[in-house]
Amino acid sequence: MLTFDELKKQVEIDIEINEDNISEKSLKYSFIYHKYIEMYQRAVKELNMIKIEKDKIYGDLYHAYKFENKSGGYDLNSKTEIEVYVKRDEKYYKIALKYYNQESIVKYLEGVLQIINTMGFSIKNYIEIQKLRMGVWFEWMMK
């Protein structure tokens, strides 16, 4: 999977539409959509796998702090107290960070897919405007 910055650069290249590349983009539209829907599905799958791992680590640490006296002698009675220790744990912190980064990628790809959906309408509108311009120009030439 690409890093977030690499993904952003790739998206900028793929969704840029101008007069020079409109023909190419209209031909590649379905390929671009397919590319990003596959990326999105892989990113969601990865997010789900990370969540499973995060939940397992949370459960293991919660058990350790509640029943195995991992707190260093402190008597942890409430769920809130235990959660403070769990969330401070290095192992949990690393997986939580990985989870939030992956979640950002998934949300970004959702936005990209929405942009690509509207890109099809933009291409269609541009083509219609060009047809209209050509028709007006053609009528002017016929006079």
Side-chain angles (χ1 to χ4, degrees):
M1 189 75 175
L2 300 171
T3 66
F4 189 71
D5 289 335
E6 292 169 338
L7 177 61
K8 282 174 55 177
K9 287 178 187 175
Q10 186 70 47
V11 168
E12 288 171 7
I13 291 167
D14 286 340
I15 67 171
E16 180 188 9
I17 299 176
N18 56 48
E19 288 190 23
D20 297 332
N21 70 6
I22 191 79
S23 297
E24 177 188 350
K25 294 295 180 173
S26 66
L27 294 173
K28 289 185 174 181
Y29 171 76
S30 43
F31 169 76
I32 292 169
Y33 183 79
H34 180 72
K35 173 182 171 179
Y36 286 99
I37 197 77
E38 281 190 351
M39 276 187 191
Y40 174 74
Q41 289 173 337
R42 282 193 309 269
V44 167
K45 183 179 178 183
E46 178 70 19
L47 180 66
N48 290 336
M49 296 303 291
I50 294 169
K51 183 175 183 343
I52 290 168
E53 186 180 352
K54 180 177 159 262
D55 291 346
K56 182 185 179 322
I57 290 170
Y58 178 88
D60 291 346
L61 290 171
Y62 190 93
H63 183 272
Y65 282 110
K66 181 155 179 91
F67 300 110
E68 297 171 15
N69 199 19
K70 190 179 175 187
S71 63
Y74 295 105
D75 189 21
L76 304 177
N77 295 320
S78 74
K79 181 178 178 182
T80 307
E81 291 173 333
I82 296 169
E83 283 181 347
V84 167
Y85 276 84
V86 168
K87 290 180 179 180
R88 284 182 33 201
D89 191 276
E90 179 90 17
K91 192 173 182 181
Y92 183 81
Y93 176 80
K94 285 180 181 179
I95 194 69
L97 185 61
K98 186 176 178 182
Y99 176 81
Y100 294 126
N101 286 337
Q102 187 66 25
E103 186 178 47
S104 295
I105 290 172
V106 167
K107 287 179 181 179
Y108 181 74
L109 285 169
E110 287 172 352
V112 168
L113 287 170
Q114 289 175 347
I115 290 169
I116 292 171
N117 281 333
T118 61
M119 192 169 92
F121 293 112
S122 298
I123 291 170
K124 179 182 174 281
N125 290 340
Y126 178 82
I127 291 169
E128 292 299 318
I129 289 169
Q130 293 305 320
K131 285 180 186 177
L132 181 63
R133 285 182 181 163
M134 292 302 290
V136 170
W137 181 79
F138 185 72
E139 287 177 17
W140 178 75
M141 290 297 290
M142 296 303 285
K143 289 184 184 181

